[in-house]
Amino acid sequence: MDFNTDAIFGFFGLIVLGVIFILFIMFIRCFRIVPQAHVFVIERFGSFKCEWQTGIHFLFPFIDRIAGKVSLKEKVVDFKPQPVITKDNVTMQIDTVVFYKVTDAKQYIYGVERPLAAIENLSATTLRNIIGELELDSTLTSRDTINTKITAILDQDTDRWGIKVVRVELKNIIPPREIQDAMEKQMKAERERREKILQAEGDKKSQILVAEGEKESQILRAQAKKEAQILEAEAEKQAMILRADAVKEQKVLEATGEAQAIELVQQALADSLVKLNNASPSERVIQLKSLEAFAKAADGKSTKIIIPSEIQGLAGLAAGLKSIAESDTKQ
């Protein structure tokens, strides 16, 4: 009987220890840690109680429960291509990339059942509305405008879900194959046209450069010819000046020589007169000099000669001179 009592007490003791261990584990698990950039939504008896921010919190067992764990980080969702029709009835495939983040955890948990599906369907309908107002060419060249419009619309519509759409990008725009072929042909024609235009502009510039070079060459040749003529004229002028200076100097020298010769003659004449005066010439010598002077005057080109009265005795003078000469000859 004692053995059975001890066994029973031992069994109940194990049960109590097990219960205590379980309660201890449950107590430990009631402490929850919320990591950075996360929010836990807590419900009490099935209704919203509070939001747990980053840190350690205590969860009452069987009373409170975690309704949802929400990440506040920015997320990126790549949606599959959606068929859209442009204003000019061209069907194309467009896939979008949505960047969003949760700003209100409570609205995110209770606002919509499937947030990602809601964003995908909303972006698809919004994209169809925007593309339906544009033609094909505008759609291909207006990505920034489309991104801005769809971002604004999605951000406004998802506010009630506690979601903020940061950015929407059109990842790919895939037109039909026949449209792609037509675009390739158009692009090829446009490139050929640009090539011809560039080639024509190159030929034009080349001809202009050749013409300008010829023009500059002619101008340079004309300037060179002009400068050569100017230099030739300057040289001729300098030569004429030098010749004139030479003639001038020659005449000056000739005139100076003649003046010096006349001066010497006059000096010689004056010296002869002085010597003659110093020698006290006789009457006959004076008459002889007068006759020599008359002979020189008679040799000139004058047609009229005035004979002074003193020449009347020249005959006797001449006879006397003749007799003197004859006597000298005999001796």
Side-chain angles (χ1 to χ4, degrees):
M1 187 67 179
D2 294 336
F3 175 77
N4 292 335
T5 303
D6 294 336
I8 292 172
F9 279 113
F11 178 73
F12 279 108
L14 292 175
I15 293 174
V16 171
L17 290 175
V19 171
I20 293 173
F21 180 75
I22 292 172
L23 291 176
F24 179 77
I25 296 300
M26 292 179 63
F27 179 77
I28 294 299
R29 287 180 60 83
C30 288
F31 289 95
R32 299 297 179 88
I33 296 175
V34 180
Q36 184 69 34
H38 286 76
V39 174
F40 288 1
V41 178
I42 306 301
E43 291 181 351
R44 174 167 290 180
F45 298 114
S47 62
F48 174 76
K49 178 181 180 294
C50 63
E51 295 179 358
W52 284 356
Q53 304 295 330
T54 303
I56 185 170
H57 301 272
F58 182 79
L59 180 69
F60 289 98
F62 308 109
I63 298 175
D64 298 337
R65 79 177 186 90
I66 299 175
K69 299 178 180 180
V70 181
S71 174
L72 301 180
K73 298 177 182 179
E74 186 173 329
K75 300 179 181 65
V76 181
V77 181
D78 187 0
F79 296 130
K80 63 182 180 179
Q82 299 290 332
V84 295
I85 301 175
T86 62
K87 187 177 181 181
D88 49 354
N89 297 323
V90 177
T91 302
M92 61 178 61
Q93 299 287 329
I94 299 178
D95 57 339
T96 57
V97 179
V98 179
F99 299 82
Y100 75 96
K101 64 180 181 179
V102 178
T103 56
D104 191 336
K106 178 182 177 182
Q107 294 295 331
Y108 182 76
I109 294 297
Y110 298 108
V112 62
E113 182 66 26
R114 298 169 57 194
L116 293 181
I119 294 175
E120 181 179 3
N121 292 325
L122 183 60
S123 64
T125 55
T126 304
L127 184 62
R128 290 190 181 99
N129 293 333
I130 294 174
I131 298 300
E133 298 176 355
L134 300 174
E135 295 182 353
L136 176 62
D137 294 339
S138 300
T139 303
L140 297 175
T141 58
S142 303
R143 289 198 177 196
D144 292 339
T145 303
I146 297 173
N147 293 338
T148 303
K149 288 183 178 180
I150 193 172
T151 300
I153 295 173
L154 289 180
D155 187 30
Q156 182 179 358
D157 292 340
T158 55
D159 280 344
R160 63 182 184 273
W161 301 336
I163 299 173
K164 178 175 179 56
V165 177
V166 180
R167 187 175 180 83
V168 178
E169 291 286 345
L170 301 184
K171 185 177 180 180
N172 290 314
I173 299 178
I174 307 173
R177 187 59 192 175
E178 57 273 12
I179 300 297
Q180 294 183 17
D181 295 339
M183 292 172 61
E184 290 177 359
K185 292 179 181 179
Q186 182 180 1
M187 186 181 299
K188 183 177 179 181
E190 181 67 19
R191 289 178 178 175
E192 291 178 353
R193 185 182 68 85
R194 291 180 180 177
E195 181 182 1
K196 292 180 180 179
I197 292 174
L198 292 175
Q199 185 175 1
E201 290 180 352
D203 294 339
K204 178 182 176 182
K205 291 181 179 179
S206 176
Q207 293 177 2
I208 291 173
L209 290 175
V210 171
E212 289 180 351
E214 184 64 24
K215 177 182 176 182
E216 292 179 358
S217 176
Q218 292 179 359
I219 292 173
L220 291 175
R221 285 197 294 269
Q223 289 179 350
K225 184 177 180 181
K226 177 182 176 182
E227 292 177 357
Q229 292 177 353
I230 292 173
L231 292 175
E232 185 178 355
E234 289 288 341
E236 184 66 22
K237 177 181 177 182
Q238 294 294 332
M240 294 175 64
I241 292 173
L242 292 175
R243 287 195 295 268
D245 290 340
V247 172
K248 177 181 177 182
E249 292 179 358
Q250 181 181 0
K251 291 182 177 180
V252 169
L253 292 175
E254 290 178 356
T256 303
E258 292 179 357
Q260 292 178 355
I262 293 172
E263 184 179 359
L264 292 175
V265 171
Q266 294 295 331
Q267 185 64 36
L269 181 59
D271 292 340
S272 63
L273 291 176
V274 170
K275 291 179 181 181
L276 183 61
N277 188 25
N278 292 332
S280 299
S282 62
E283 187 66 23
R284 291 179 179 273
V285 174
I286 293 173
Q287 290 178 356
L288 180 59
K289 292 295 183 180
S290 299
L291 182 61
E292 291 177 354
F294 180 73
K296 290 181 179 180
D299 290 338
K301 298 180 179 179
S302 301
T303 56
K304 294 182 179 180
I305 299 175
I306 300 174
I307 301 174
S309 59
E310 290 80 2
I311 301 302
Q312 294 176 0
L314 290 177
L317 178 60
L321 291 175
K322 184 178 178 181
S323 59
I324 294 170
E326 290 179 353
S327 60
D328 292 334
T329 302
K330 289 180 180 180
Q331 291 178 359

